[in-house]
Amino acid sequence: MRLQGKTAIVTGGGSGFGAGIAHRFAAEGAQVMVVDRDAVSAAAVAGQIGGLSFEVDVSDGTAVQAMADAAMAAWGRIDILINNAGVTHLPAPMEDVSEADFDHVMAVNCKAVYLSARIVVPLMKAAGQGAIVNIASTAGVSPRPRLSWYNASKGWMITATRAMAVELAPFGVRVNAVNPVAGETPLLKSFMGEDTPDMRAKFLSTIPIGRFSTPEDIANAALYLASDEASMVTGVAMEVDGGRCI
């Protein structure tokens, strides 16, 4: 019960890493709001863990404000924010990625972190405590070819995490990131371009441990960073990658 009495918002919580984080946090005693663009998926996960659900486009400031308002109405505070929602463009030469795809990646992976900070950080400052965990990617550390703008968005998240950590530390708010390697999530096919045995083997050959990351792997890391056990840890971008970035 490492999060007993804590409240947590998990964006992109309807599937993949986000669902894994929501399940683990609830099992550790947290009250969890599962946030997703897919209201059905969010409600399903929330129902499984006895949490709340909220339909949100995280790149829409009005929607993010409504999310925070709902959490405050339910709990009176927000202790933990997990910025997990993310998207990618399909693998392609950088010059062939459409402007619409570029804008979508930057809106969900970057602007959403800004929007949530603008709205949630003042609440955490007022409380004198809080933990934010951004789910970035090894792509922001060791970029893969043909995913250039996705790589750039995750590099932005890592730098934003460190900048936020330095600024917010005096207010009792910690900010960290988790860098997963490719995982068994709905985005895996998009990263690879096609889900075939050959393509999987190609991706796995770059991971020394020899497997993809799982929602449980990422949930374990996020749990530590969000818990009081990590009270001296801020500005870290923890690689959970089976050695890919070595």
Side-chain angles (χ1 to χ4, degrees):
M1 305 301 284
R2 293 152 77 185
L3 299 180
Q4 183 69 44
K6 302 283 190 181
T7 64
I9 295 174
V10 181
T11 71
S15 63
F17 294 150
I21 293 168
H23 275 274
R24 187 63 196 276
F25 278 25
E28 293 286 344
Q31 299 178 69
V32 180
M33 175 181 282
V34 181
V35 173
D36 206 285
R37 282 191 75 167
D38 184 337
V40 174
S41 295
V45 173
Q48 292 162 6
I49 65 174
L52 306 175
S53 68
F54 208 83
E55 180 182 0
V56 175
D57 174 355
V58 294
S59 66
D60 181 331
T62 300
V64 175
Q65 182 67 66
M67 172 195 79
D69 290 345
M72 291 297 288
W75 301 326
R77 69 188 194 283
I78 300 169
D79 297 315
I80 300 165
L81 171 65
I82 309 296
N83 285 312
N84 167 75
V87 295
T88 184
H89 55 81
L90 292 175
M94 64 177 71
E95 67 272 24
D96 290 345
V97 175
S98 71
E99 185 174 352
D101 282 346
F102 175 88
D103 287 345
H104 185 48
V105 167
M106 293 300 165
V108 176
N109 295 356
C110 302
K111 184 181 179 182
V113 175
Y114 155 73
L115 290 173
S116 66
R118 187 181 67 174
I119 293 163
V120 175
V121 162
L123 302 174
M124 290 182 169
K125 280 185 174 181
Q129 62 86 34
I132 299 172
V133 180
N134 298 321
I135 307 303
S137 173
T138 54
V141 179
S142 179
R144 291 186 185 272
R146 296 168 57 84
L147 288 169
S148 289
W149 308 120
Y150 171 77
N151 298 333
S153 74
K154 292 302 187 176
W156 184 98
M157 286 185 75
I158 293 167
T159 300
T161 295
R162 292 171 175 155
M164 293 168 71
V166 169
E167 183 169 335
L168 297 180
F171 300 95
V173 179
R174 297 184 300 105
V175 187
N176 292 289
V178 177
N179 293 342
V181 74
E184 292 283 4
T185 74
L187 282 182
L188 180 60
K189 183 177 180 180
S190 295
F191 289 133
M192 296 190 298
E194 56 179 353
D195 192 352
T196 65
D198 285 348
M199 190 60 72
R200 281 182 172 246
K202 180 180 178 180
F203 261 64
L204 286 172
S205 70
T206 68
I207 305 172
I209 279 183
R211 67 173 177 84
F212 292 116
S213 59
T214 67
E216 292 75 20
D217 293 325
I218 308 312
N220 289 336
L223 170 62
Y224 168 68
L225 293 172
S227 75
D228 291 339
E229 295 172 21
S231 62
M232 192 58 174
V233 180
T234 196
V236 163
M238 181 186 292
E239 289 158 12
V240 183
D241 67 349
R244 182 175 108 72
C245 287
I246 297 172

